[in-house]
Amino acid sequence: MDKVYRTLLQFDRYLATLRWPPRSVPQLTPEHVDAFYDRRKHLAQAADEMGELKRLLARTEGVSDAVAGRIAAALPRVRRGNGRQSYSRAEFKRIADAARTDLRAAARRIRENRDLLQRFRQGQVVSGDDLDLARRLELLDSVERFADVPRHVRTVGLTAGKSEPMAWVKKVGTVKEIMSWLHLTVDETAAGAILLAAMTGENPDVIHKTPAAHHRADGYSGDGGTAIVDLRKLRRGRRAYMNLALSDIPEWISIPGKPEEISTRDELHTPFGLYVLLHELTAASRAHIGGNRLLIGYANTGAADGGRGLRPITTSECVLRLGRRWGLPSDTLDEQGKPVPLAVRLDLLRLTYIELNQRPVAHTERTAATTYMARNRGNVAEYRKVVAQALASEVDKARARGSVAVMSPQEVERARTEPETVAAEQGLDPVTLKRMIAGELDTVLAACADNKNSPHAPPGQPCPASFMLCLGCECARALPRHLPVQVLVHDRLQAGRAQMEALRWAHRFAAPHAQLADLLDQHDAETVADARRSATATDHAVVERFLSRELDLR
């Protein structure tokens, strides 16, 4: 009945906007039905609404033959599956920014009111003759203790026995406004769900049921925070239980155009920061209603079995409602050239996350390719643009860091006869230069002049960095004997570009590939070709172990 009523209400509201709205059922025309669909087709629920309207009109007396014929024929339907289109990066950022704005305001409000209540209980705040402050403090205390405002029960009239707020409470504000002093509203909880979906790519059901119980893998050290949360996705069958690691490192999608403008204390740009903030803001709500759900909010009205009060979100209806309230514009224009309203949906946030990251989330590579990426046809150009930007960014970083210093064969020969002179030219001491030429200081791609004074470790500590970082390290020197391995690694990275997802390759290997290319450009083509041919079986084995990360510190 609820769905039928909502559909009829929307249809009625549309008809009321017409210059000559129909006044009775016989006055309805097929054009009214089609125009209603055109008005609603951008919404996710448009297909369901058209089905409800068809069933409703089929049972309505007085419908004209023209309308009866129209509803008997196939009605317009929203394309599902292949029609799902991910958000553009601009739309994705628009949604995330709106959610962050709501959560920041909520965090500021709740923290200020908690601080006021605490100072009042410690005797640091006295209302005196300030009636407004006295009422506010009493309401804060009531909301904190009972998760409700002071009420009385009506004793007379048709509503006898009904509980309602005291008269003086209504003068301060609505129950929802007062409850929001110390608790998130359902809309703000929906903003948390939206941001959680944008940062993790998990599906809507998993987001709704995200627990507040977690394991701190960082041991509460305060550095590189990580919370591991146990999740359950029933459709995975025997693999339903899984872990989600929420780290203090922002996803590259989350980083704005000018990251330097973001405070390091802004918790809403990392999955870990978001989780900790939501855990803090909903802790009091959880204490009142029990359970271990993370996403809890106050709703002044709700489901028939829930009534008003604190409750965990269980459906995406609050997300859709919040999206309509935001009224964000999409990149798509209607026939009049105006932006179509942006429908905010958790499943589309998941689709966008998978598309932009080009990797599966809680499903197999095959599912990611066939169910998500292959069905999403709206973001190919955007994805190519993101890959190009990532490649350009990584290459710029590589060029800014520079490449390893190279010693020519002539310099190596001079070092054997003039060690002091060559050592001074290279910024080394003669003993280190001698050991370097003897091969005692080799890493993989170069030789290291000072392992205990690396830019990647505190002074006096051994360098823990990957050997790949030697390509831009001031301590490294590339000698002629390193050229075969450098050529082999360059060729392997180049070959891997066609075998890996483009965006993943850009983030992992674009920078070292550019550094190696610059390094090889310092040699003529014949020298590089000779190095490739002269590579030994040992060189190939070292490169294989190096690229499979067997040589990294664990």
Side-chain angles (χ1 to χ4, degrees), residues 250-454:
E251 284 280 345
W252 66 272
I253 300 173
S254 174
I255 301 175
K258 296 181 179 179
E260 67 275 7
E261 296 181 357
I262 290 187
S263 166
T264 56
R265 294 174 296 174
D266 191 336
E267 40 293 71
L268 295 178
H269 279 275
T270 70
F272 175 78
L274 171 64
Y275 177 82
V276 171
L277 178 66
L278 290 172
H279 195 282
E280 172 198 336
L281 298 182
T282 59
S285 305
R286 211 160 24 253
H288 280 288
I289 68 173
N292 71 337
R293 291 290 183 85
L294 178 68
L295 299 174
I296 302 173
Y298 178 82
N300 54 343
T301 59
D305 59 344
R308 65 174 180 272
L310 298 168
R311 66 169 64 89
I313 63 172
T314 55
T315 70
S316 293
E317 179 59 35
C318 57
V319 172
L320 298 173
R321 183 175 62 247
L322 180 61
R324 291 192 291 267
R325 183 171 69 79
W326 282 342
L328 300 174
S330 69
D331 292 346
T332 305
L333 303 179
D334 60 17
E335 296 175 354
Q336 287 75 37
K338 297 180 180 179
V340 173
L342 187 59
V344 180
R345 293 166 45 187
L346 297 185
D347 62 326
L348 295 187
L349 289 171
R350 172 176 170 81
L351 178 63
T352 307
Y353 181 94
I354 295 170
E355 175 69 20
L356 292 178
N357 282 277
Q358 288 292 298
R359 62 181 175 84
V361 177
H363 50 250
T364 63
E365 293 276 1
R366 180 178 180 181
T367 302
T370 59
T371 306
Y372 290 92
M373 299 175 192
R375 293 186 179 183
N376 178 30
R377 301 303 182 191
N379 232 8
V380 175
E382 178 71 17
Y383 175 64
R384 289 174 179 168
K385 186 189 301 182
V386 170
V387 172
Q389 290 172 347
L391 282 171
S393 174
E394 293 301 317
V395 172
D396 288 344
K397 290 178 186 176
R399 299 275 158 77
R401 288 194 292 263
S403 59
V404 61
V406 178
M407 290 185 64
S408 66
Q410 294 77 16
E411 289 173 319
V412 173
E413 286 302 320
R414 282 180 57 222
R416 301 183 191 279
T417 58
E418 306 173 30
E420 290 81 5
T421 303
V422 176
E425 292 173 354
Q426 293 291 328
L428 304 173
D429 62 80
V431 175
T432 300
L433 179 61
K434 182 178 179 181
R435 296 182 62 202
M436 185 178 290
I437 293 175
E440 297 176 14
L441 303 180
D442 279 359
T443 56
V444 174
L445 300 167
C448 182
D450 197 348
N451 181 48
K452 292 192 176 181
N453 281 289
S454 161

Side-chain angles (χ1 to χ4, degrees), residues 128-203:
D129 296 329
D130 190 338
L131 182 60
D132 290 340
L133 178 58
R135 287 177 171 176
R136 183 177 187 84
L137 293 172
E138 182 178 348
L139 286 172
L140 278 173
D141 186 71
S142 176
V143 169
E144 198 276 338
R145 291 177 185 273
F146 310 110
D148 202 356
V149 299
R151 295 176 177 273
H152 70 94
V153 178
R154 290 188 178 184
T155 58
V156 296
L158 296 176
T159 57
K162 179 182 178 181
S163 171
E164 67 174 5
M166 304 285 284
W168 64 270
V169 173
K170 296 178 181 178
K171 295 179 181 179
V172 177
T174 65
V175 176
K176 181 179 180 180
E177 291 171 347
I178 296 170
M179 286 292 297
S180 71
W181 290 352
L182 295 176
H183 300 276
L184 291 178
T185 66
V186 165
D187 284 350
E188 291 165 344
T189 306
I194 289 169
L195 207 50
L196 200 58
M199 286 190 176
T200 65
E202 294 291 344
N203 69 17

